Amino acid sequence: MANHTLILPVIQNWSCHNCGGCCREHLIEITDAEKKRIEDQKWTTADGTPADRPLIQQIGRGRYRLAHQDDGACVFLDSNGLCRIHAKFGEPAKPLACRVYPYAFHPISGNLTISLRFSCPSVVQNLGQRVVEQKPDLLQLAKLITADSQKSFEPPAIHGNQKVDWADIQEFLTAFDEELSDDSVNFATRLMRILTWLELVEQSTFDKVRGNRLKEYLGVLTKASRKAQPDNDLPVLKPSRIGRILFRMLVAQLLRHDTEATARGGLSTRFGLLRAGLKFTFAIGRVPKFQESVSVTKVFGGSTDSKQSPRFADLESPYNGRTNEIDRLMTRYFRVKIQGLHFCGAANFDWNLVDGFRSLALMYPATLYIARLRASRQQRPQLELSDVQAALATLDHNYAYSPATGSASALQRIRILARLQQVTALCGWYTQ
Ligand code: SF4
C-alpha cells in the first residue's frame, strides 16, 4: 500500500484534551526500533521519570512494552497528564501505538478507512477539530502503519461461506449508513429495520447477486423494512430469561477493565473479577462494583461512589433512552463504526458482516443498560446524555478489542441471541 486513499468519517470531530486516560488504560507494546529510540533518548530522573524501575519492561521473548507507575500511569506520563516524550522530543518520537490512538485504520478495497475508538472521552463527546481536516497527519500515520505490510486483505464474508468483492461490501455499508441516517424515525427504529432485513440477507446466497443486482436487492429490502416499520411505534417485547442471561454475560465482558493495576492485584483481584462476572450474569443481589476507566471517571465522574448499588431488577424499569441527543450520539457512533469497517472482518476477529453488525447492534442495549446503572446509582429516574456518553466510553474500550468478546463462545452467544429474536428484543427493551 504505497499510496493510500483515506476514507474519513465526515461526522466526527476529535482533538486530544489530555485527560491522560489512554496513558493509564493501554499497555503499549513497542517494536525493537521504538525500544532503541527511547533508549537513545537517554532519560534520567532529572526529567521526572521514576527512579525505582526501568522505563521499558520485557513481556516475553523479544517483546517489550512501556512500564507503568504505581498509580497505573505510563512511566512517561507527567503530573499534568502530558507525555514526557512528546514534550521533549515531539510527537513523532512517541511509539506508533500512542500516536495512532484513538484512530483505527482498516483496509478496504486497497484503501484505508478510518474509525475512532469511543473509549476516548473527546471522541464520545465529539470535541475538537473535524477529522476530515486532519487528513495530512492521518496520511503520515497511514504510511507508517502500512510501511512493512505486503498483505492484501480479503473482504469479510456476508454470512457463512457467502463471499462478495469489496465493491459489494461497500454497497452493504452504504445501505447500513443510509438507513441509519434516516432521521424521520428514531434510532431504535432504524436499527430494528436493519436487523429485520439482515434476517433475509442471512437466508440468501450471493453467487449471482452482485453489482447492480445486489444494489437492487438491498433497495428492495430497505423499502420492505420501511414499509413494515413505517414509524416509531415499535412493538416492545420483554427479552426472555435466557436472552437476559446471555446479554448480561456480554455486558460483564465489555465492562471488564484489565489494566496494569489489575494485573498487579494478583489472584485475589482475579477472583474478585470472576465473582463479579458471575453475579452479573445471573443477576444475583445488587449490581457489583466494577472498575471504571480513569478517563471516564475524570471526565464524567465516577458512578460507584454511592453507598447503595441498585438491584438488577431496578435496571429493568424504563429510563427514557430515546431522547434526541441520545439518538444523535448513537447514530454518530454507529455511522463511524460502519464507515470505518470497525465491526466485522479484520477489525473484529474476522467475523462476517451479519454477525459483526449484530455485535455492534448489541452495543446499543449494552450502553443503555450501563447508562441506567449510572443514573440509578445517582438516584435519577431518567437518563442524561452524560450517562450514555460515559457508558459508551466504558464499553467501547473492549468492543472489537478484548479477546473475550471475540472468542468462539462470544460469537456463539450472538448467534443464539439472533436465533431467539433476542437482539431485537434487547434493543427495544432497553431503549425505553
Ligand atoms: S483518552 Fe483521548 S483525550 Fe484523553 S489523553 Fe487519550 S487521546 Fe487524549
Side-chain angles (χ1 to χ4, degrees), residues 13-208:
N13 302 344
W14 175 74
S15 302
C16 177
H17 289 74
N18 299 323
C19 75
C22 56
C23 311
R24 293 171 189 271
E25 278 137 27
H26 295 267
L27 300 179
I28 302 296
E29 189 163 346
I30 50 177
T31 62
D32 289 346
E34 287 168 341
K35 177 172 176 283
K36 182 166 182 324
R37 190 166 73 221
I38 291 169
E39 285 164 350
D40 289 347
Q41 289 166 356
K42 304 276 182 237
W43 293 94
T44 69
T45 48
D47 296 304
T49 51
D52 60 344
R53 68 200 66 203
L55 303 180
I56 294 172
Q57 190 180 340
Q58 184 155 13
I59 48 169
R61 224 169 130 202
R63 288 178 59 206
Y64 297 88
R65 68 167 167 79
L66 300 182
H68 282 243
Q69 305 174 44
D70 284 339
D71 65 354
C74 169
V75 282
F76 289 108
L77 189 68
D78 71 15
S79 54
N80 298 318
L82 299 172
C83 171
R84 290 190 173 94
I85 304 181
H86 190 142
K88 194 166 176 188
F89 296 102
E91 200 265 346
K94 294 197 292 190
L96 185 57
C98 304
R99 298 179 66 190
V100 168
Y101 183 87
Y103 288 109
F105 293 71
H106 302 127
I108 180 168
S109 192
N111 298 317
L112 285 174
T113 182
I114 293 187
S115 171
L116 286 98
R117 297 187 66 176
F118 280 61
S119 47
C120 165
S122 298
V123 174
V124 94
Q125 295 173 97
N126 208 22
L127 299 178
Q129 192 186 18
R130 292 183 69 209
V131 169
V132 283
E133 289 165 10
Q134 302 179 38
K135 195 169 182 178
D137 293 340
L138 291 168
L139 273 169
Q140 289 303 321
L141 284 178
K143 272 188 195 141
L144 294 171
I145 288 167
T146 57
D148 302 322
S149 172
Q150 301 301 326
K151 207 169 160 189
S152 65
F153 287 87
E154 290 288 308
I158 302 297
H159 65 89
N161 58 4
Q162 293 301 306
K163 291 224 161 204
V164 293
D165 58 23
W166 275 118
D168 290 338
I169 290 289
Q170 190 60 62
E171 291 298 344
F172 273 96
L173 300 186
T174 304
F176 289 150
D177 197 49
E178 281 176 7
E179 196 73 279
L180 289 167
S181 323
D182 175 14
D183 57 11
S184 65
V185 288
N186 64 27
F187 179 79
T189 304
R190 296 174 229 160
L191 193 55
M192 296 292 193
R193 284 173 173 173
I194 299 179
L195 289 168
T196 306
W197 60 254
L198 279 186
E199 286 174 24
L200 297 171
V201 167
E202 205 174 20
Q203 292 161 28
S204 307
T205 53
F206 292 89
D207 313 349
K208 295 190 179 130

Side-chain angles (χ1 to χ4, degrees), residues 275-287:
R275 209 168 35 240
L278 288 173
K279 279 186 85 174
F280 220 97
T281 301
F282 296 105
I284 301 165
R286 295 188 180 274
V287 182

Side-chain angles (χ1 to χ4, degrees), residues 181-297:
S181 323
D182 175 14
D183 57 11
S184 65
V185 288
N186 64 27
F187 179 79
T189 304
R190 296 174 229 160
L191 193 55
M192 296 292 193
R193 284 173 173 173
I194 299 179
L195 289 168
T196 306
W197 60 254
L198 279 186
E199 286 174 24
L200 297 171
V201 167
E202 205 174 20
Q203 292 161 28
S204 307
T205 53
F206 292 89
D207 313 349
K208 295 190 179 130
V209 185
R210 302 285 174 95
N212 282 340
R213 288 191 72 185
L214 178 71
K215 213 171 173 169
E216 260 171 48
Y217 167 81
L218 291 173
V220 170
L221 290 184
T222 309
K223 240 187 221 159
S225 69
R226 286 182 183 195
K227 203 167 165 194
Q229 188 57 60
D231 50 34
N232 291 328
D233 195 15
L234 287 171
V236 178
L237 303 171
K238 184 164 185 175
S240 66
R241 186 168 174 272
I242 184 78
R244 278 179 287 145
I245 288 178
L246 293 177
F247 172 66
R248 283 193 304 266
M249 214 182 257
L250 166 76
V251 175
Q253 284 182 339
L254 286 166
L255 265 183
R256 192 170 155 162
H257 226 74
D258 287 337
T259 60
E260 164 86 4
T262 327
R264 264 192 280 110
L267 212 55
S268 65
T269 308
R270 297 198 163 270
F271 270 121
L273 287 171
L274 178 66
R275 209 168 35 240
L278 288 173
K279 279 186 85 174
F280 220 97
T281 301
F282 296 105
I284 301 165
R286 295 188 180 274
V287 182
K289 287 190 173 182
F290 57 89
Q291 172 153 12
E292 295 193 297
S293 85
V294 180
S295 43
V296 168
T297 309

Side-chain angles (χ1 to χ4, degrees), residues 394-410:
T394 303
L395 301 185
D396 195 58
H397 177 81
N398 279 335
Y399 178 72
Y401 288 92
S402 157
T405 62
S407 64
S409 59

